[in-house]
Amino acid sequence: MIQPYYEANGITIYNADARKILPFLDTFDLLLTDPPYGIGIANNPVRQKHEKQDWDDSVPPRYLIEMAIATAKFSVIWGGNYFGLPASRKFLVWDKQQPEDFSLAQCEQAWCSWDGNAKTFTKRVLSYAKVHPTQKPEGLMQWCIGQVPENVATVLDPFMGSGTTLVAAKLEGRSAVGIEINGSYCEAAVKRLAQGVLFDSMDAVAS
């Protein structure tokens, strides 16, 4: 088992390929993650001024997504429409408050593993700073945790990027494990966790 990159206050980070960590983890209440969509956004600097990278040139292998789902009782997977997951009536939508003629998506959706009504969270995508080019708002991930029909004590994110899911879990008083292969994003996540302050939860609407 690879030793954690970071471990404090119920939050653990592994700087490794998720395939090397997932088989050794216990089960979790919630899988909350935002895997690469395979649309090349990390190599497209239209939205943010980030270094071009290739991590979003392909989707994770199907067995890895299935392995992650099997690790948790409930799952929320952003970009789930890219991974061939079973049909679900319960999906979460992030309305980015962008105009009709915006060159990129006006919204994103997350697949949920349980049945229920679709819900929408509204927050302008340009209203908060980003360390990672596809970084979700912390308030959005907190909202996702609150959508689960049972109490959530433990959260897993095997594609954690700069750690938004972990920050949200910490703010909600949950334990969490994150896995990220990029060392610079692990470092950024640790810095964000050390701040202990929510910067982007304001001006958001859920329905």
Side-chain angles (χ1 to χ4, degrees):
M1 182 64 177
I2 298 172
Q3 292 300 308
Y5 178 91
Y6 169 89
E7 193 169 20
N9 302 314
I11 307 295
T12 302
I13 293 174
Y14 292 98
N15 179 200
D17 187 316
R19 289 171 288 193
K20 297 182 179 180
I21 302 296
L22 284 175
F24 300 98
L25 297 179
D26 293 329
T27 56
F28 294 80
D29 296 324
L30 174 64
L31 167 69
L32 175 55
T33 191
D34 186 23
Y37 300 171
I39 59 176
I41 194 66
N43 203 33
N44 183 345
V46 171
R47 218 169 18 164
Q48 301 100 2
K49 296 180 180 178
H50 291 273
E51 179 185 358
K52 292 184 178 182
Q53 301 185 50
D54 62 2
W55 54 259
D56 194 39
D57 286 352
S58 61
V59 297
R62 176 65 179 267
Y63 76 84
L64 182 55
I65 297 294
E66 292 175 348
M67 185 188 302
I69 291 172
T71 307
K73 185 174 182 180
F74 297 96
S75 297
V76 175
I77 303 179
W78 285 95
N81 49 302
Y82 291 103
F83 309 123
L85 297 170
S88 175
R89 198 169 63 89
K90 176 71 175 182
F91 57 93
L92 306 179
V93 177
W94 171 29
D95 176 1
K96 298 181 176 183
Q97 293 188 296
Q98 295 296 341
E100 292 266 346
D101 59 354
F102 186 53
S103 62
L104 296 175
Q106 289 184 285
C107 65
E108 289 186 37
Q109 67 181 34
W111 175 89
C112 297
S113 62
W114 67 96
D115 188 41
N117 295 318
K119 298 293 182 180
T120 301
F121 179 95
T122 301
K123 183 175 179 63
R124 188 166 177 258
V125 71
L126 299 178
S127 66
Y128 61 99
K130 302 173 183 66
V131 179
H132 188 287
T134 62
Q135 182 174 315
K136 298 291 189 289
E138 294 163 7
L140 172 63
M141 293 313 216
Q142 288 182 271
W143 176 74
C144 289
I145 293 172
Q147 291 295 309
V148 181
E150 297 181 12
N151 181 58
V152 171
T154 56
V155 180
L156 169 67
D157 187 351
F159 306 96
M160 76 167 204
S162 58
T164 301
T165 297
L166 304 191
V167 173
K170 180 180 178 181
L171 290 166
E172 291 296 310
R174 272 59 168 189
S175 298
V177 171
I179 308 170
E180 172 55 45
I181 199 168
N182 185 309
S184 63
Y185 289 144
C186 289
E187 181 180 359
V190 170
K191 290 179 179 178
R192 293 177 68 192
L193 288 163
Q195 291 172 346
V197 178
L198 180 61
F199 292 103
D200 66 24
S201 65
M202 303 302 291
D203 194 31
V205 178
S207 60

